[in-house]
Amino acid sequence: MQVNIPFREPLTPLPDRSWSDDLWGRPDGRPWTTLPEQEIVTRSRAEVDLPARTLVVMGSGDPQRARAVAEVAAKAGWPVIAEPTAMAAAAQTGAGVLRCGVLLLAGGELPAGVRYVPTPLRPDAVLLVGRPTVSPDVGAVVGGDVPVFSVDAVPEWSDPAHTVSRVEEWLDVEDVPCAEEPDPKWLAVWQRADAAAAAVLDKELDAETALTGLRAARDLVAALPPQAVLFLGASNSIRDVYMAAAAREDIAVYANRGTAGIDGNVSTAMGLALALNTPEGARFPCYALIGDLTFVHDSNGLFLGPDERRPNLTLVVLNDRGGGNFSLLPEGAPEYKQGFERVFAAAHDTDLVGLCAAHHVAHTAIESAEQLHAVLRGPAPVGLRVAEVRTNRAALRGQHMRLHKALNSALAGILNAALAY
């Protein structure tokens, strides 16, 4: 038997060392956890009743389902926040796909901070499509009084935060499930805020003297050739693309999400490249963006027998010598630096050049945006190669804080004006 018990956040020392709950159980024998009743509806389109101010958040899942819901959103005037694995499906429909939607959801705080959607952007309902795995807990962000609906064939995987009250298997553009007439101001205010956020983001990234994860993610997605396939590793790799990259309808994005963690990411990327391309040629140029810990953890995936076919794949490895994603959490604060490096960052000094040489894999060191562009805009990858982007993890937390501060300042005027809507 396995029992999953989450630790109380934040995972940092607190002055109060007492237990958060009575170890003898809840009063009157009540259960520790209660879940809201979740109504599961199968293809009953006419029964859906969503308000005009609905926000759509798309996660991983069936691309056909994502496109169908995006078509509904386009007709109803709903803004769409699409995680990287759903970007292409949503963008292909002409829906109002936001580039910086997750930044706007974050409310100007670091990912572990208290987040509330600014009032002009606060929806009357949230529609989750597939299984969001990178988005913040939207139910908590928008407030407990906002209903959350889901479109997914497997509702037991859709709602880890237990906020969904109703699950639909499908939504069809022929029967837009909107109880009200579309509100053109609703999508407009999100798009104006999104444009302001994108301008701030690009200004901050372009001003950087060193190549960071956010800059590398933005530039990589923009530079990929049409029909490219991009595999995203766990932790910061997929989050950086989610925060910084603009959606493209002409590339396919894959990722191992859920309980996969950093296991098998190199092998998955190589398997995709082998499955999608024949030995005679690369129909779909294949790339991967993964972090250094993810790469080292699955470096045995580079092992190929002498008679095995080698994939045409460029592995872009963002090397900040540790787990940079934890730098954005409370335990990444300066006062925890000594313990952080060993316990959370898993700092290392692995020589990726030597590691690639041991497997006879071509290696290129990248330390600037210009060098990254040269690799990505060159000929489609032939064989297996690693492009190591060397960056500084120590600057990561400060970069995100500056970005959110600049974002809040730029959005203030737009959001205040939107209150008059």
Side-chain angles (χ1 to χ4, degrees), residues 73-142:
K75 189 172 182 179
W78 297 336
V80 175
I81 299 175
E83 293 188 358
T85 52
M87 285 193 311
Q92 290 165 1
T93 66
V97 180
L98 306 169
R99 175 185 171 189
C100 297
V102 69
L103 281 174
L104 299 175
L105 278 181
E109 299 290 341
L110 288 176
V114 177
R115 296 162 295 198
Y116 296 99
V117 173
T119 301
L121 304 180
R122 192 171 186 267
D124 293 330
V126 175
L127 184 64
L128 302 180
V129 183
R131 183 160 63 98
T133 62
V134 196
S135 303
D137 178 3
V138 181
V141 169
V142 299

Side-chain angles (χ1 to χ4, degrees), residues 223-291:
L224 291 179
Q227 307 306 314
V229 173
L230 175 63
F231 176 82
L232 297 176
S235 300
N236 272 356
S237 298
I238 191 168
R239 288 177 171 83
D240 286 343
V241 169
Y242 194 20
M243 288 181 62
R248 288 184 55 179
E249 62 181 62
D250 60 342
I251 65 173
V253 181
Y254 295 87
N256 289 342
R257 301 303 301 153
T259 58
I262 62 174
D263 297 339
N265 280 236
V266 172
S267 300
T268 301
M270 292 174 63
L272 272 172
L274 288 170
L276 293 173
N277 297 289
T278 65
E280 290 74 30
R283 290 181 55 211
F284 304 100
C286 293
Y287 302 81
L289 176 65
I290 60 178

Side-chain angles (χ1 to χ4, degrees), residues 9-10 109-115 328-331 397:
E9 295 184 356
E109 299 290 341
L110 288 176
V114 177
R115 296 162 295 198
L328 305 178
L329 301 179
E331 52 268 29
R397 188 177 180 90

Side-chain angles (χ1 to χ4, degrees), residues 362-421:
H363 175 280
T364 301
I366 295 177
E367 298 184 359
S368 68
E370 291 73 22
Q371 290 176 321
L372 178 62
H373 293 167
V375 169
L376 297 174
R377 290 175 176 159
V382 176
L384 181 61
R385 61 178 179 174
V386 169
E388 179 189 354
V389 179
R390 296 170 178 172
T391 186
N392 181 9
R393 176 162 45 85
L396 183 61
R397 188 177 180 90
Q399 178 204 30
H400 279 251
M401 293 181 71
R402 290 192 303 273
L403 173 60
H404 285 295
K405 183 178 180 180
L407 176 63
N408 281 348
S409 176
L411 289 179
I414 290 178
L415 297 181
N416 287 335
L419 287 172
Y421 276 21

Side-chain angles (χ1 to χ4, degrees), residues 52-249:
R53 292 169 59 91
T54 293
L55 173 66
V56 180
V57 178
M58 292 190 169
S60 59
D62 182 359
Q64 186 178 357
R65 181 181 293 108
R67 279 190 290 271
V69 178
E71 289 176 356
V72 173
K75 189 172 182 179
W78 297 336
V80 175
I81 299 175
E83 293 188 358
T85 52
M87 285 193 311
Q92 290 165 1
T93 66
V97 180
L98 306 169
R99 175 185 171 189
C100 297
V102 69
L103 281 174
L104 299 175
L105 278 181
E109 299 290 341
L110 288 176
V114 177
R115 296 162 295 198
Y116 296 99
V117 173
T119 301
L121 304 180
R122 192 171 186 267
D124 293 330
V126 175
L127 184 64
L128 302 180
V129 183
R131 183 160 63 98
T133 62
V134 196
S135 303
D137 178 3
V138 181
V141 169
V142 299
D145 58 333
V146 175
V148 180
F149 302 91
S150 174
V151 179
D152 201 336
V154 282
E156 65 271 17
W157 280 96
S158 303
D159 187 27
H162 309 297
T163 57
V164 173
S165 58
R166 181 184 176 104
V167 179
E168 297 284 336
E169 186 182 0
W170 203 266
L171 291 183
D172 197 312
V173 70
E174 295 177 359
D175 186 10
V176 176
C178 197
E180 309 165 359
E181 288 296 318
D183 179 1
K185 296 179 181 180
W186 172 237
L187 178 58
V189 68
W190 270 94
Q191 289 178 326
R192 290 178 64 197
D194 186 58
V200 170
L201 175 66
D202 287 333
K203 181 179 179 180
E204 291 291 318
L205 296 185
D206 291 339
E208 293 174 351
T209 56
L211 192 58
T212 63
L214 288 173
R215 174 74 183 270
R218 183 199 67 175
D219 293 0
L220 182 148
V221 172
L224 291 179
Q227 307 306 314
V229 173
L230 175 63
F231 176 82
L232 297 176
S235 300
N236 272 356
S237 298
I238 191 168
R239 288 177 171 83
D240 286 343
V241 169
Y242 194 20
M243 288 181 62
R248 288 184 55 179
E249 62 181 62

